[in-house]
Amino acid sequence: MAAQKITRRQALAGLAALGTAALPAVAQAQPSQQPDVRAVRVPSPLPAEPEAAVWARVPPAEIALIGQAMVLPTKMRPSVRSVRVRSCHDGERVAFLLEWDDPRADRRTVKTREFKDGCGVMLLPQGAGATEWMMGTPKMPVTVLHWRADWQLDLDQGFQDVEAAFPNLAFDFYPPLVGAQHPPKLPEAYPREARRWLPGWYAGNPLSQPRKTSPVEKLVAQGAGTLEQLPTQNATGKGVWKDGRWRVVLSKPLRAADAREITLTPGGTYAVAFAVWQGIAGDRGARKSITLLGRLRVEP
Amino acid sequence: MPKVYNWQIGREMDYPFEGRRPHRQAAAVFDTNKCIACQTCTMACKTTWTSGKGQEYMFWNNVETKPWGSYPLAWDVRVLEMLGPQAWEGNVYRGRTLFEAAPGGERAVGYLPEDLDYAYPNRGEDETNVPITEERFYLRLPHDAWFFYLPRICNHCTYPACLASCPRTAIYKRPEDGIVLLDQQRCRGYRECVKNCPFKKVFYNHTTRVSEKCVLCFPAVERGIQPRCMRNCIGKIRTFGFVSTPDRARADNPVDFLVHVRKVALPLLPQLGLEANVYYIPPVHVGNVRFLQMLFGPGVEPAVAAYRRAMEGKDDELLGVLLLAVSTDRIVHRFQVRRGQAYGYDERGEEVVRVPLQEPTMVRPAYDPQHRAYRHNVT
């Protein structure tokens, strides 16, 4: 019955995609329902850019995206039809290249109704099933790599603050920064004590840190709603939007740095799923397009 | 979905979580008859909590003019329109609550405001329900042409829609006082709470990219002191304290007395099903009772009658409680009216304020022979 549902959804997504002309040849092929991704061994260093030549040597897997119907709030129809995935490793780190069609890049998350584009890779031990697919369980945590277009923009163009979205903003002064350069720039203009006026930052929320080091978060979850950043943020990546398509690299060391994080061993097989968020569709959190849980084989 | 009992709508209703009431529930009563929209509460809150970068547009406390004012734009009519017909049978609400009307895949009915919706916090200020162009509007009570002020803060609901909507349970209700807080460390800026709070009292911080809301000045409340917006109220319209459920109402608790004993204070939009904990004494001069019933539920007419009685000098106890409002910074847990004075007591039973029901007056002759001068009434 579940398979039937997916087929119907696929048909709807397919109808929507008819309007999109000139799809690349591979995307026109029927995407596979389940991920079966091979992390190919390549010489160091791993490609950090989506345009790196080495990616051409890595076989792609086109994977169907479906709606998220298990956890409230749901997203019944995927925003995007499929995601193309490549993976490689060099014995030290593993990298993924995710590509999907998105007619508009949504990068900023400053305004109340602005949601970002993004993508995610969820890694689990082999043997994970339908329950673990939903963001893991207390017994089987999942490791998540999450690339965020808003952090990419912060890195590419500097921290996007209020004046980025509201260029005509006028404000007399921000306490306690009397006499500070206007508008005060984050983080330079804000000594520790002044951050009290920026509660998320002061409280140490990773989302509120104006200084970014990577556009990719490394997270752990043990069930829906339990997602949290791992202490060691050593995931890297880069996303580039060009000609209506996002190409995003996400990478992490094979070996776990933190408790509950997954270690990938060359020669091993793991469970994997992917997700795509489309900002213009209001995607965030559980409102996302996802793949089924599939297989990741890490070449010896 | 679990069933919870909501006394404001006189029935059980669906809520995503099991019903567990806090040990006590912080609450307030706002007397709309005394509010002059001076916005001192708004500024007291603004300067205390939301003067930082990214918070420019936020008003955790605002005062809007009804019927036309609203912040953010049309928050109330939009939510009521999404809810559909709202029928009452006596004191039992027969329509659907926000949770019961939730579309498939959602926790509640809601919408996410546009930036421009926040851009006119004082839209509709002092505008009457109809244009005053004809003489027939003069000298009649209740008025055909009317407006009144509605001061608003987070209602620290018993069944908050923001809390129910957060997929990460980053919003929680404190068991010790029922204050609803948003964890600044856990929030991931999904804005589900902003979408589903019908009162639109959760805000997205443009700079920290997570959401924020009224904290009811909990550091003060913990020390027995009233929140800033209440303490600074020029018109002394705000009674702050703790509200009980009707079965446990205490006649000497100021909030219980106003809400449950005299029933002059009514919840805001009870049909939404949140059991909001800021109560309003409805305006007595408004000709359109149905408008008031839409805002405050079926108890409007008895509340207006009870309030008028007190204003006519026929209810010293009610007058006394209302005079205690904002007469002290301390939270008044118990009150008493005797021999022309209203007394307020703190949690330990110590007297913290005493207010005469009638100000002492002195009448002086117009002519002062000592200074050989006529006195004028100068204020």
Side-chain angles (χ1 to χ4, degrees):
Chain A
M1 198 177 136
Q4 265 177 4
K5 263 188 185 165
I6 288 157
T7 312
R8 212 165 61 214
R9 221 172 281 139
Q10 286 290 296
L12 287 167
L15 278 175
L18 278 178
T20 324
L23 284 170
V26 181
Q28 278 174 349
Q30 188 61 31
S32 65
Q33 293 293 337
Q34 228 168 3
D36 189 1
V37 177
R38 203 150 47 90
V40 179
R41 188 184 267 272
V42 296
S44 296
L46 278 184
E49 303 275 334
E51 294 93 349
V54 71
W55 287 116
R57 302 208 305 269
V58 180
E62 192 76 21
I63 307 161
L65 287 162
I66 56 172
Q68 190 287 110
M70 281 76 64
V71 176
L72 291 182
T74 57
K75 180 182 178 67
M76 296 310 283
R77 289 188 197 178
S79 306
V80 185
R81 184 170 169 251
S82 64
V83 58
R84 192 186 299 175
V85 179
R86 288 176 167 92
S87 180
C88 62
H89 78 93
D90 64 355
E92 289 294 321
R93 296 179 73 91
V94 63
F96 297 89
L97 173 66
L98 270 59
E99 297 176 63
W100 70 94
D101 290 330
D102 189 342
R104 196 182 100 165
D106 293 292
R107 298 181 170 100
R108 217 170 51 194
T109 50
V110 175
K111 293 184 173 184
T112 302
R113 287 178 65 113
E114 285 178 338
F115 296 99
K116 64 168 205 333
D117 293 335
C119 66
V121 179
M122 184 170 79
L123 298 163
L124 303 88
Q126 198 177 14
T131 313
E132 288 77 18
W133 178 43
M134 295 176 233
M135 304 301 284
T137 61
K139 279 187 182 160
M140 196 185 279
V142 296
T143 302
V144 174
L145 302 180
H146 181 203
W147 172 84
R148 310 174 53 106
D150 56 341
W151 290 14
Q152 187 71 60
L153 185 63
D154 287 342
L155 285 162
D156 294 347
Q157 294 182 13
F159 178 66
Q160 302 293 299
D161 205 344
V162 195
E163 50 276 13
F166 302 96
N168 297 321
L169 171 85
F171 206 82
D172 296 341
F173 77 97
Y174 296 101
L177 307 170
V178 184
Q181 185 203 348
H182 187 81
K185 289 259 178 286
L186 270 69
E188 304 84 33
Y190 280 80
R192 170 102 193 129
E193 210 36 38
R195 293 177 201 169
R196 283 175 186 277
W197 278 263
L198 293 156
W201 188 14
Y202 190 78
N205 191 319
L207 275 88
S208 307
Q209 306 304 309
R211 186 171 280 144
K212 307 292 190 309
T213 53
S214 165
V216 181
E217 279 186 289
K218 192 179 77 178
L219 304 130
V220 66
Q222 295 177 285
T226 66
L227 192 68
E228 58 177 297
Q229 260 201 8
L230 283 164
T232 314
Q233 286 302 304
N234 54 4
T236 58
K238 188 176 182 186
V240 175
W241 183 88
K242 205 179 148 193
D243 303 330
R245 198 161 166 85
W246 275 111
R247 292 174 175 82
V248 178
V249 174
L250 309 91
S251 148
K252 93 169 196 75
L254 288 170
R255 184 178 291 278
D258 297 308
R260 297 185 291 168
E261 183 186 349
I262 196 164
T263 290
L264 304 179
T265 314
T269 300
Y270 303 89
V272 70
F274 303 93
V276 169
W277 288 266
Q278 196 183 39
I280 186 73
D283 289 357
R284 73 274 198 186
R287 298 180 199 265
K288 60 188 169 187
S289 310
I290 57 174
T291 72
L292 294 175
L293 195 64
R295 187 165 58 164
L296 171 70
R297 286 175 291 170
V298 184
E299 276 191 354
Chain B
M1 208 182 277
K3 292 269 181 204
V4 295
Y5 186 75
N6 180 334
W7 67 261
Q8 293 179 356
I9 59 171
R11 66 170 171 87
E12 283 197 322
M13 60 165 209
D14 295 334
Y15 188 66
F17 295 105
E18 298 287 339
R20 204 172 64 188
R21 288 177 183 273
H23 301 309
R24 63 181 179 188
Q25 175 63 56
V29 173
F30 294 176
D31 185 352
T32 62
N33 295 290
K34 292 200 283 184
C35 180
I36 56 168
C38 65
Q39 307 282 3
T40 310
C41 48
T42 307
M43 294 320 290
C45 177
K46 188 79 190 152
T47 52
T48 307
W49 296 109
T50 62
S51 51
K53 222 181 172 195
Q55 300 177 316
E56 295 83 353
Y57 78 107
M58 285 185 203
F59 288 104
W60 292 359
N61 180 114
N62 78 294
V63 185
E64 55 203 45
T65 303
K66 287 291 170 213
W68 302 116
S70 55
Y71 165 83
L73 202 68
W75 66 271
D76 45 358
V77 286
R78 286 190 67 173
V79 166
L80 293 176
E81 189 178 24
M82 293 173 89
L83 199 58
Q86 299 134 44
W88 290 83
E89 247 177 54
N91 289 325
V92 181
Y93 176 58
R94 293 298 179 200
R96 294 185 302 174
T97 67
L98 283 189
F99 307 106
E100 291 161 351
E106 300 281 340
R107 298 274 191 168
V109 166
Y111 76 98
L112 208 50
E114 305 272 356
D115 299 306
L116 279 177
D117 293 342
Y118 292 109
Y120 310 98
N122 231 354
R123 177 189 167 273
E125 187 188 22
D126 290 4
E127 280 183 29
T128 48
N129 60 323
V130 287
I132 301 179
T133 52
E134 296 172 43
E135 206 169 328
R136 67 184 169 92
F137 289 129
Y138 291 86
L139 300 173
R140 213 171 102 170
L141 269 170
H143 301 323
D144 292 325
W146 51 267
F147 67 80
F148 66 95
Y149 301 120
L150 189 75
R152 301 203 301 117
I153 63 169
C154 164
N155 288 291
H156 296 274
C157 306
T158 306
Y159 305 115
C162 61
L163 186 154
S165 307
C166 180
R168 300 176 51 71
T169 50
I171 301 182
Y172 60 102
K173 191 167 174 65
R174 307 207 307 180
E176 63 266 41
D177 50 21
I179 294 177
V180 177
L181 294 178
L182 195 158
D183 188 335
Q184 287 296 298
Q185 265 182 317
R186 267 190 71 71
C187 177
R188 279 181 69 83
Y190 297 152
R191 286 155 270 175
E192 301 290 351
C193 51
V194 182
K195 174 175 168 284
N196 282 348
C197 168
F199 305 110
K200 296 294 170 245
K201 284 299 180 189
V202 192
F203 300 86
Y204 181 65
N205 185 314
H206 298 312
T207 298
T208 64
R209 301 181 192 170
V210 293
S211 298
E212 297 172 358
K213 67 177 289 300
C214 159
V215 295
L216 207 59
C217 295
F218 69 86
V221 173
E222 285 170 5
R223 286 179 296 159
I225 297 171
Q226 303 188 28
R228 294 266 289 159
C229 60
M230 320 262 176
R231 260 185 282 161
N232 285 280
C233 178
I234 300 293
K236 299 194 173 190
I237 79 153
R238 298 190 176 202
T239 300
F240 180 80
F242 297 91
V243 71
S244 314
T245 48
D247 53 313
R248 294 179 172 211
R250 252 183 37 224
D252 62 354
N253 167 349
V255 176
D256 278 356
F257 180 84
L258 293 167
V259 173
H260 295 305
V261 179
R262 282 298 186 272
K263 299 186 198 302
V264 287
L266 307 169
L268 181 60
L269 296 171
Q271 65 269 44
L272 304 180
L274 311 190
E275 214 186 281
N277 285 305
V278 174
Y279 298 83
Y280 291 87
I281 300 179
V284 298
H285 67 283
V286 169
N288 188 341
V289 171
R290 290 174 65 79
F291 180 83
L292 297 180
Q293 286 168 336
M294 178 188 78
L295 272 187
F296 305 120
V300 168
E301 281 167 309
V304 168
Y307 190 83
R308 281 188 183 281
R309 242 184 120 250
M311 294 306 117
E312 287 160 7
K314 294 174 186 163
D315 189 346
D316 280 359
E317 223 178 349
L318 179 51
L319 185 66
V321 184
L322 294 173
L323 287 172
L324 285 175
V326 203
S327 294
T328 169
D329 284 353
R330 309 285 308 170
I331 298 172
V332 175
H333 288 255
R334 194 167 65 80
F335 81 99
Q336 212 177 31
V337 177
R338 60 173 197 272
R339 287 193 294 278
Q341 309 231 57
Y343 297 77
Y345 304 91
D346 68 8
E347 196 168 14
R348 290 175 302 173
E350 282 176 24
E351 182 185 321
V352 289
V353 65
R354 189 187 302 192
V355 184
L357 298 192
Q358 272 199 321
E359 290 283 340
T361 51
M362 181 194 277
V363 179
R364 296 187 296 182
Y367 182 68
D368 181 345
Q370 192 187 338
H371 297 99
R372 293 196 294 169
Y374 284 93
R375 293 194 181 95
H376 298 273
N377 287 327
V378 178
T379 53

